[in-house]
Amino acid sequence: MEVQIGGLVGLYGGAVIGIIAWWFGRRMAKKQGGLDELHDHIWQKARAISWFFSLAAMYILFTLIMFGMELKAAMVLGVIMLVHFASWGITGVILSINMNMEEPLKPSKVKFGIAIVAVSLLLFTVLSVVTGNWWFQLASVPPTLIGLIWALTPGKGSEETF
């Protein structure tokens, strides 16, 4: 087994950059008074919700294994970690926006936007696995962005109708 230098640089370089960005972000938030009880509540709730997404990813991966797909441990752990962190971040952003807006986001709009993201990611991931061409993952970027924009933009209130 040969050592992949690029993989090691990406793995540990990403971790170092992530820790530095986290530290710098917390330092800036502390200066602006952003680390209060609301901040703690939002990110604890986001972390709790992200475990449901992680559990769903685990069930999907176990189902793939039971259907005979060969999955390596590193790939499975990477997918679970990616799902957990992504769902934690997206949920935290949605909760932060919702808690700090004058008019909260409509739950139906948020659910529809998240459904667009989930369906597009699932569809293009399955397409990539079936064809063996991972470039199909790039095609999931536009629908994912559309779903996020749809979920995070407030709807027009009843008083704005003409």
Side-chain angles (χ1 to χ4, degrees):
M1 185 169 140
E2 75 182 54
V3 177
Q4 296 180 356
I5 302 298
L8 288 173
V9 168
L11 183 67
Y12 293 108
V16 167
I17 290 171
I19 289 170
I20 290 170
W22 172 80
W23 174 79
F24 185 72
R26 294 218 21 120
R27 187 170 158 229
M28 295 302 292
K30 192 174 189 179
K31 284 182 181 177
Q32 296 177 357
L35 299 179
D36 55 0
E37 295 85 17
L38 179 62
H39 173 271
D40 292 341
H41 172 73
I42 288 170
W43 289 100
Q44 286 174 358
K45 187 165 180 77
R47 189 170 43 246
I49 291 170
S50 71
W51 278 109
F52 290 111
F53 287 98
S54 300
L55 183 63
M58 287 178 214
Y59 270 94
I60 291 169
L61 292 169
F62 279 132
T63 303
L64 291 175
I65 290 170
M66 291 190 329
F67 279 118
M69 185 176 240
E70 294 283 331
L71 299 175
K72 302 212 184 256
M75 185 173 117
V76 169
L77 291 172
V79 167
I80 292 171
M81 188 172 76
L82 181 68
V83 166
H84 186 74
F85 287 152
S87 62
W88 181 40
I90 291 169
T91 305
V93 167
I94 289 170
L95 290 173
S96 294
I97 289 171
N98 207 23
M99 294 269 194
N100 292 315
M101 290 180 68
E102 292 177 13
E103 182 179 334
L105 297 172
K106 294 181 180 178
S108 60
K109 219 177 156 196
V110 173
K111 288 176 186 175
F112 183 70
I114 291 173
I116 291 172
V117 170
V119 167
S120 71
L121 287 177
L122 183 64
L123 177 73
F124 286 109
T125 300
V126 168
L127 188 61
S128 295
V129 169
V130 169
T131 62
N133 187 353
W134 293 101
W135 286 101
F136 281 113
Q137 284 298 104
L138 287 177
S140 70
V141 172
T144 300
L145 289 175
I146 290 169
L148 286 174
I149 291 169
W150 183 276
L152 298 178
T153 55
K156 293 183 179 181
S158 58
E159 64 274 357
E160 291 183 9
T161 57
F162 295 104

